[in-house]
Amino acid sequence: MDPGQVLGDLQNLVVQLTGIANALFPFAHPNLIVKTLLDDSLGLLLKVWSGFILHTTDFETGRDFTSNATIQNFEPKVRLVANAALTLVAIWASYRIMWSHGLRSQFTTRIMLPRLLLSAALINFALPLIQAVVQASNAACDAIQTFGTLPDWPGWLHNLELDPSSGVLQIVSSAVLIAGYDVLGIAYLIRYTILIVLAITAPLAALLFTLPETHHVGKQWSSLFLTNLLMQPMQLFVLAIGFALERNGYTPVHHLFALASLLVVFKVPGAMGGAEKVAHKLESALKSGFKAVEHAVARA
């Protein structure tokens, strides 16, 4: 038998056995199987993490949020319509001022003139004002990132490979955590779209602040805008706390701290809405008190 042929056959056998070992290796390490299954899922997370979750910017260019091409295309036309409508509103309010009488009439020069001036300013400077508020939100997000607890996602995922002794509970909690962040990424896609729509309709919302009959609709627009904008720094703050707890854990279930923080994150928009309802009730109570005082003064 030719020794060279035997050596070649042994080399081929080693190559085949190595391939089989590489194919079976993940089954001896369940966390590698989880990583493989979650690679596609994390693709969405990694794309939206810096583009949506950490800052509110133009997703295409990374520049100012209001420089978005869609906003720049639609908002000037909406602003033109709002300015034209403001002229009609001013004429309508003038006639109401001339024909309305009474102590509690909301159509008086003292009330309507400041509203008209404010609406004109908000209509024509809507985008700069929105960008100023967005920059304040981004500054808060930057401050939260200085805590240093929010994870570097590629490195965080790579750590799943480095601990073959990870228990099943840790592997499952990691999978649930990543799936939850995919859901959060989709929610931020929706949030971004809502903010785009609100930025485009900002001149119309400013117009609604003019008349007493439509003032409450304008307040609903501002409430929706602030809720969708400020939920970002608040949610990042909760996440920073959750991952700080995770880093201080030494048990196989330490990922559950981050998972708990994620569950709290999904409650933030609802909590903001609850606080807003309390503020509205307080405002209504104050208005009722002022009306009572006004009636007492009128009767005296």
Side-chain angles (χ1 to χ4, degrees), residues 156 172-182 243 246 255 258-259 262:
W156 188 85
V172 172
S173 65
S174 299
V176 174
L177 182 63
I178 294 174
Y181 275 105
D182 278 342
F243 278 103
E246 182 199 33
H255 282 311
L259 179 60
L262 182 62

Side-chain angles (χ1 to χ4, degrees), residues 234-300:
M234 295 181 67
Q235 288 178 326
L236 283 180
F237 184 69
V238 174
L239 290 177
I241 294 174
F243 278 103
L245 290 171
E246 182 199 33
R247 290 186 178 185
N248 293 329
Y250 298 97
T251 65
V253 296
H254 63 276
H255 282 311
L256 293 180
F257 287 111
L259 179 60
S261 71
L262 182 62
L263 295 177
V264 176
V265 160
F266 287 119
K267 297 291 185 180
V268 168
M272 293 178 67
E276 177 190 347
K277 291 179 181 178
V278 172
H280 283 325
K281 289 182 179 179
L282 180 60
E283 181 183 358
S284 298
L286 291 175
K287 285 184 177 179
S288 299
F290 281 125
K291 288 180 180 179
V293 173
E294 183 181 336
H295 278 297
V297 172
R299 292 175 181 174

